[in-house]
């Protein structure tokens, strides 16, 4: 695929990266995983995404940070416990279908090597459309090409860069959540929503906009096509135990994931779009 005026391909270790720089923003997409690694709008030149200093770029293990594409399941597979968490497309090499310059930025469309894999029945066309504009819009489109309905789970598992997890607050969630760190207890979302321990929560609510308030700096996240927002920070002990995170890596990241955790049905010949917009 020929890059356009605003795009170039470079190689990092075993991975090809698509750099995009247009009049509005800078972004970087790893073809391994169809995985966005960077987004910096030019109006403030602030990096929105966090990538671990110790992330693997070996084209085998998932990249820690950025926006992993979890599909067609989220977390462990429901019945086949030997299968990789979060599905199989985040460890595939994706192909660029098109790069297009528009009035408002650049649109890149990618597809995984294959959407078929152990643990998922379904004939699907899976496409990721990334609009790099003043804001970043990510659309994961699942089209059912078969003649029977299918069900999938998924997440745009975004890692946001913050200056200090202990000072930051997440605005916009208010109902109950399921707490994975406490045996999936159903608890009330704290008001204010601040962070002082390992956090792994599924919020089954769909507020239009969430905001990470990092002191005076605010990052807005808009979601659609989801049934849940997942909020994750591994905190210190887990960071230390993870080979692809520095011991204090947890201090400068917060995952706010636009997710499908309850099963999304897709009828034959229809497309479901999971979308996240980052401002
Ligand atoms: O380490 P990974 O497979 O990338 O998963 C990282 C995290 O993803 C989600 O946020 C899950 O809710 C967590 O339970 C999991 O630890």
């Amino acid at each position: 695929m020929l890059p356009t005026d605003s795009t170039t391909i470079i190689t990092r270790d075993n991975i090809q990266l698509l750099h995009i720089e247009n009049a509005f923003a800078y972004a970087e997409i790893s073809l391994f995983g169809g995985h966005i690694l960077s987004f910096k709008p030019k109006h403030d030149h602030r990096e929105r995404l966090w990538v671990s200093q110790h992330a693997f770029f070996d084209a085998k293990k998932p990249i820690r940070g950025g926006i992993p594409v979890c599909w067609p399941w989220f977390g462990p597979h429901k019945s086949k416990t030997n299968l990789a968490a979060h599905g199989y497309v985040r460890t595939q090499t994706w192909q660029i279908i098109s790069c297009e310059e528009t009035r408002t930025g650049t649109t890149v469309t990618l597809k995984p090597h294959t959407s078929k894999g152990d643990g998922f029945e379904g004939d699907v066309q899976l496409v990721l459309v990334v609009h790099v504009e003043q804001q970043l819009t990510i659309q994961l489109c699942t089209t059912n090409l078969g003649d029977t309905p299918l069900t999938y789970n998924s997440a745009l598992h975004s890692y946001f860069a913050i200056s200090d997890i202990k000072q930051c607050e997440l605005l916009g969630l208010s109902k109950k959540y399921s707490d994975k760190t406490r045996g999936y207890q159903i608890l009330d979302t704290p008001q204010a929503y601040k962070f002082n321990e390992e956090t792994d929560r599924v919020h089954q609510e769909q507020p239009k906009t969430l905001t990470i308030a990092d002191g005076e700096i605010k990052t807005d996240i808009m979601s659609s096509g989801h049934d849940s927002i997942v909020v994750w920070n591994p905190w210190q002990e887990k960071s230390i135990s993870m080979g692809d995170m520095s011991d204090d890596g947890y201090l400068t990241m917060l995952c706010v994931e636009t997710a499908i955790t309850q099963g999304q049905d897709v009828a034959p010949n229809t497309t479901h779009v999971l979308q996240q917009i980052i401002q």
Side-chain angles (χ1 to χ4, degrees):
M1 180 77 230
L2 266 190
T4 60
D5 284 354
S6 69
T7 58
T8 44
I9 288 186
I10 62 147
T11 301
R12 175 168 175 186
D13 299 345
N14 292 330
I15 291 185
Q16 285 197 311
L17 305 176
L18 180 71
H19 277 235
I20 300 146
E21 185 174 359
N22 57 35
F24 309 97
Y26 168 88
E28 189 176 77
I29 306 173
S30 157
L31 299 195
F32 178 69
H35 191 134
I36 302 167
L37 297 173
S38 170
F39 175 61
K40 258 191 268 180
K42 285 194 170 167
H43 64 84
D44 61 9
H45 293 276
R46 179 167 64 86
E47 179 59 73
R48 300 302 196 260
L49 301 177
W50 177 93
V51 177
S52 173
Q53 288 167 2
H54 300 310
F56 299 119
F57 283 86
D58 60 0
K60 290 193 180 94
K61 293 180 272 308
I63 301 168
R64 177 73 57 203
I67 310 183
V69 177
C70 306
W71 189 96
W73 60 87
F74 176 78
H77 189 274
K78 248 199 267 161
S79 52
K80 297 187 166 185
T81 47
N82 61 315
L83 296 180
H86 297 326
Y88 46 77
V89 297
R90 66 174 175 161
T91 48
Q92 277 187 29
T93 297
W94 291 50
Q95 187 190 329
I96 300 169
I97 303 174
S98 64
C99 284
E100 203 188 320
E101 301 301 335
T102 68
R103 206 172 35 82
T104 51
T106 308
T107 298
V108 182
T109 305
L110 306 112
K111 65 170 185 187
H113 174 66
T114 175
S115 59
K116 291 192 195 313
D118 191 9
F120 180 68
E121 305 289 327
D123 187 6
V124 164
Q125 182 187 59
L126 183 68
V127 167
L128 185 75
V129 186
V130 183
H131 302 273
V132 179
E133 303 176 335
Q134 268 189 34
Q135 61 183 20
L136 180 71
T137 302
I138 313 127
Q139 295 164 318
L140 184 66
C141 310
T142 301
T143 302
N144 184 354
L145 302 175
D147 45 22
T148 51
L150 64 83
T151 305
Y152 78 105
N153 284 317
S154 183
L156 297 167
H157 191 309
S158 307
Y159 289 71
F160 291 94
I162 50 173
S163 54
D164 181 0
I165 186 73
K166 292 175 185 164
Q167 300 300 324
C168 106
E169 186 177 341
L170 181 61
L171 309 170
L173 291 166
S174 61
K175 298 183 182 164
K176 298 212 180 268
Y177 69 90
S178 163
D179 194 330
K180 196 168 161 185
T181 69
R182 292 183 169 80
Y184 300 94
Q185 268 185 66
I186 305 298
L187 299 169
D188 288 319
T189 297
Q191 305 293 330
Y193 199 150
K194 295 195 165 185
F195 300 89
N196 52 26
E197 60 180 351
E198 183 188 349
T199 303
D200 193 350
R201 301 173 178 174
V202 178
H203 296 259
Q204 277 187 55
E205 58 176 306
Q206 299 96 31
K208 234 176 155 186
T209 306
L210 295 171
T211 302
I212 299 174
D214 180 12
E216 292 300 299
I217 298 168
K218 303 225 174 0
T219 301
D220 286 337
I221 305 153
M222 272 91 85
S223 303
S224 61
H226 59 311
D227 58 33
S228 308
I229 297 291
V230 178
V231 181
W232 183 63
N233 182 291
W235 221 252
Q236 188 171 31
E237 208 178 307
K238 271 225 170 115
S239 290
I240 292 171
S241 74
M242 288 159 73
D244 56 359
M245 248 174 105
S246 63
D247 294 355
D248 60 2
Y250 74 99
L251 289 171
T252 53
M253 52 85 37
L254 177 65
C255 285
V256 179
E257 309 165 32
T258 297
I260 300 167
T261 65
Q262 305 302 305
Q264 173 67 47
D265 297 332
V266 189
N269 295 313
T270 60
T271 300
H272 182 261
V273 181
L274 181 66
Q275 174 173 281
Q276 189 179 66
I277 299 174
I278 298 171
Q279 290 185 335

